[in-house]
Amino acid sequence: MNDGRPQLEAEVQNVFGSLTHAAVFLIVTVNAGGEDKARELLANATGLERTVGSRSLGGALSCVAGVSASAWDRLYGAPRPAELRDLPVFAGEKHQSVTTDGDLMFHIRAERMDLCFELATLIMDELAGAVTVVDEVQGFRYFDGRDVLGFVDGTENPVGAEAYAATLVDDDEGFNGGSYVIVQKYLHDMAGWNALATEAQEHAIGRRKLSNVELAEGVQPDNSHVALTQVTDTEGNELKILRDNMPFGRPGYGEFGTYFIGYAKSPSVVERMLENMFVGSPPGNYDRILDYSTPITGVLFYVPTVDFLERD
């Protein structure tokens, strides 16, 4: 049965994997002289995924690998994907996003954390001495897909053919079938957030907390998260991205956060959302959630096809 997946000459990475109960987000930089080992690992990542995944057929293990602009020329040279660049910084009157280091990204997800842990361990074993870890986050499913702020996340994700159309590059010969992904690690001021009344929280998000129903027109503020992250093309059609956000935290350290990860066929779609959030639409009308959520990382990656990574 056709699920809407386009017929492509190249095998694509599994950016469409369903939301899971566990994930590891691993960001590294490639050390000088480590380029060959990094390329070898990227070419073998799918094989490592199969090796670990075969130990739990119902574990839904997958791994998506991305390469940033800072590493592309060192690893693969010219040409590069048309829209691969450093993530811009979006600076508003009150809040500002950040751009941080990162050459390679590994988005590992499964129904069990032990599978994620095992695959991440094998990847790092293969990369020993060739890379420096910038950030590693272990995410978890929180009740019925909620973030630690208490709201369901990823409600508007496209599915089927709409997901493929939103995430796969189709206008960049040589790089079609790939995808772009932007990651950001947010830390939350839970004391401040929890001091808000439920209605105020709902107005900041743009949805009802219990039912997850979007606030009606005329009730939803124009600076809610939902309102500012809905962007359209010149003809008024809504532009979608595929989110696979995960909560993370260490209560003993007072750390509570959300790891944002958004896949799109063009990074400009995610960048427009971020500009609306931080700068405001119009300028000054920023996303209220930023009063309680602070980004501490931000990187843009291109996700090549499996065929590209495995080529000689």
Side-chain angles (χ1 to χ4, degrees):
M1 184 175 181
N2 189 352
D3 63 355
R5 186 185 295 266
Q7 298 299 311
L8 298 169
E9 295 181 0
E11 180 184 353
V12 302
Q13 295 195 59
N14 189 23
V15 302
F16 316 106
S18 58
L19 296 175
T20 57
H21 282 84
V24 169
F25 304 95
L26 182 61
I27 307 294
V28 303
T29 53
V30 179
N31 300 334
E35 291 83 3
D36 288 345
K37 188 176 283 191
R39 277 192 301 271
E40 291 171 6
L41 178 279
L42 290 169
N44 191 38
T46 301
L48 292 176
E49 176 191 317
R50 288 194 297 267
T51 296
V52 178
S54 65
R55 297 163 65 180
S56 177
L57 299 181
L61 177 67
S62 68
C63 176
V64 176
V67 183
S68 73
S70 63
W72 186 271
D73 293 342
R74 294 171 57 197
L75 296 180
Y76 299 112
R80 70 157 64 177
E83 295 189 81
L84 183 57
R85 52 182 177 259
D86 290 336
L87 181 66
V89 171
F90 300 97
E93 296 176 358
K94 186 172 182 180
H95 300 289
Q96 178 173 310
S97 68
V98 297
T99 299
T100 49
D101 291 337
D103 289 339
L104 306 179
M105 175 216 71
F106 300 97
H107 176 201
I108 305 169
R109 50 191 160 181
E111 287 303 311
R112 293 163 34 186
M113 180 54 75
D114 59 341
L115 295 172
C116 297
F117 178 86
E118 180 72 3
L119 183 52
T121 299
L122 292 180
I123 288 173
M124 290 309 302
D125 285 347
E126 294 288 327
L127 291 173
V131 302
T132 299
V133 175
V134 174
D135 192 35
E136 179 181 352
V137 173
Q138 295 188 2
F140 57 88
R141 185 77 171 269
Y142 194 45
F143 295 106
D144 51 339
R146 296 178 185 267
D147 55 31
V148 293
L149 299 177
F151 287 78
V152 176
D153 204 354
T155 301
E156 296 298 325
N157 270 351
V159 297
E162 188 180 24
Y164 307 135
T167 56
L168 292 183
V169 176
D170 61 4
D171 57 358
D172 188 7
E173 187 174 353
F175 299 104
N176 288 342
S179 186
Y180 292 93
V181 60
I182 290 176
V183 298
Q184 292 178 300
K185 181 180 180 179
Y186 285 87
L187 293 180
H188 304 310
D189 170 16
M190 294 305 298
W193 179 255
N194 288 332
L196 295 177
T198 297
E199 184 178 14
Q201 293 180 354
E202 292 175 339
H203 283 184
I205 298 295
R207 291 183 177 277
R208 296 298 181 195
K209 191 170 186 176
L210 179 60
S211 67
N212 190 40
V213 173
E214 187 172 325
L215 297 183
E217 185 177 352
V219 176
Q220 182 179 122
D222 60 5
N223 66 346
S224 71
H225 182 69
V226 168
L228 289 172
T229 55
Q230 290 179 343
V231 297
T232 60
D233 61 19
T234 56
E235 297 178 350
N237 301 308
E238 185 175 356
L239 299 174
K240 297 280 191 176
I241 66 171
L242 191 67
R243 299 171 176 85
D244 201 1
N245 302 351
M246 293 290 273
F248 67 91
R250 297 183 299 170
Y253 291 87
E255 179 183 270
F256 302 87
T258 298
Y259 202 96
F260 166 79
I261 178 165
Y263 292 97
K265 66 181 293 183
S266 169
S268 63
V269 179
V270 188
E271 290 169 352
R272 282 180 58 190
M273 295 177 179
L274 295 177
E275 183 174 18
N276 285 352
M277 289 175 60
F278 286 88
V279 178
S281 178
N285 189 53
Y286 68 86
D287 192 334
R288 180 74 194 288
I289 199 174
L290 294 177
D291 289 338
Y292 307 94
S293 301
T294 302
I296 60 173
T297 69
V299 197
L300 164 63
F301 299 93
Y302 171 74
V303 176
T305 63
V306 174
D307 296 60
F308 182 93
L309 295 175
E310 293 181 349
R311 69 181 184 176
D312 293 332

